[in-house]
């Protein structure tokens, strides 16, 4: 499937077809554009991360400030964007803790295979941590205000960039994988 064949050459038509639903747009993207199908098999079960597709949706939402074409009724269904740098920030804040075995692998700069059990576990725990952080923050502020994974992810990514030197000094590792999904 292609943008030309299915959407008259415009991604805007994908957005319109989603009818203000982030979940529907996520499905449109992953069904129609193979490079966004970020899936793996974990202990016999298919797991999906859809990092790049969710970033695309999150960027549309943020750029349009949740208005017009960028308004999604269900933006809170989008998860943290499971990548390789956010876990460093989660380690920094002691939200994640790696096993000695995983630390040994990461500190030896081993490049993990895409779909490796360790990679899947890091990414899955990152998403779960994001969900728990959203819930925790929601409880601490006015319950009428929504905190979502897009906002949390942007904060964590920006923190990692602003504090890169400190994170390196603390020797907080990141996982390395060659793939098109990061």
């Amino acid at each position: 499937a292609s943008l030309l064949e299915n959407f008259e050459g415009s991604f805007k038509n994908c957005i319109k077809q989603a009818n203000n639903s982030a979940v529907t747009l996520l499905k449109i993207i992953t069904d129609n554009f193979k490079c966004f199908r970020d899936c793996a098999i974990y202990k016999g079960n298919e797991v999906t991360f859809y990092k790049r597709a969710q970033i695309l949706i999150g960027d549309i939402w943020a750029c349009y400030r949740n208005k017009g074409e960028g308004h999604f009724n269900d933006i809170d269904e989008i998860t943290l964007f499971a990548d390789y740098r956010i876990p460093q920030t989660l380690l920094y804040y002691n939200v994640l803790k790696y096993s000695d075995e995983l630390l040994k692998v990461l500190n030896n700069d081993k490049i993990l295979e895409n779909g490796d059990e360790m990679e899947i576990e890091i990414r899955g725990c990152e998403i779960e941590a994001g969900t728990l952080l959203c819930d925790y923050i929601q409880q601490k502020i006015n319950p009428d205000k929504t905190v979502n994974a897009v906002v949390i992810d942007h904060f964590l990514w920006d923190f990692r960039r602003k504090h890169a030197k400190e994170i390196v000094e603390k020797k907080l590792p990141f996982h390395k994988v060659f793939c098109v999904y990061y």
Side-chain angles (χ1 to χ4, degrees), residues 31 35 53 67 72 80-81 151 156 164 173 177 179:
D31 285 353
C35 65
K67 296 192 184 334
F72 298 109
L80 218 60
F81 314 143
V151 173
L156 295 172
V177 178
C179 70

Side-chain angles (χ1 to χ4, degrees), residues 3-161:
L3 197 60
L4 283 173
E5 294 168 358
N6 296 337
F7 302 98
E8 300 173 14
S10 176
F11 188 73
K12 195 172 194 177
N13 291 327
C14 297
I15 297 169
K16 286 179 182 177
Q17 189 175 326
N19 198 29
N20 299 105
S21 170
V23 172
T24 301
L25 183 55
L26 183 64
K27 182 164 178 30
I28 290 168
I29 294 167
T30 57
D31 285 353
N32 289 281
F33 307 101
K34 183 180 177 183
C35 65
F36 286 96
R37 284 188 211 125
D38 184 3
C39 305
I41 302 299
Y42 181 76
K43 298 187 178 184
N45 297 300
E46 183 179 60
V47 293
T48 58
F49 297 106
Y50 299 152
K51 175 198 182 232
R52 292 176 59 227
Q54 292 193 111
I55 285 176
L56 175 56
I57 294 164
D59 284 352
I60 293 166
W61 177 81
C63 287
Y64 282 89
R65 298 177 183 230
N66 196 28
K67 296 192 184 334
E69 292 168 280
H71 172 71
F72 298 109
N73 298 317
D74 55 354
I75 193 67
D76 57 329
E77 295 298 317
I78 298 298
T79 68
L80 218 60
F81 314 143
D83 81 343
Y84 67 106
R85 290 295 194 176
I86 298 295
Q88 285 184 300
T89 306
L90 296 172
L91 288 167
Y92 178 89
Y93 281 115
N94 294 313
V95 173
L96 285 183
K97 182 177 181 188
Y98 289 163
S99 69
D100 291 339
E101 177 189 2
L102 179 57
L103 281 173
K104 183 178 178 185
V105 168
L106 299 179
N107 287 328
N108 286 327
D109 283 331
K110 180 180 181 207
I111 296 173
L112 302 175
E113 293 291 324
N114 182 233
D116 180 277
E117 193 170 286
M118 287 181 175
E119 178 211 17
I120 294 168
E121 288 176 356
I122 292 168
R123 294 179 85 199
C125 288
E126 177 182 355
I127 290 169
E128 178 64 11
T131 301
L132 294 172
L133 281 170
C134 283
D135 292 345
Y136 179 80
I137 293 167
Q138 190 68 39
Q139 291 173 11
K140 294 292 180 185
I141 65 171
N142 183 341
D144 296 331
K145 291 186 179 180
T146 302
V147 174
N148 61 50
V150 176
V151 173
I152 299 289
D153 195 281
H154 286 184
F155 169 80
L156 295 172
W157 179 262
D158 290 344
F159 181 89
R160 164 55 183 86
R161 292 191 68 190

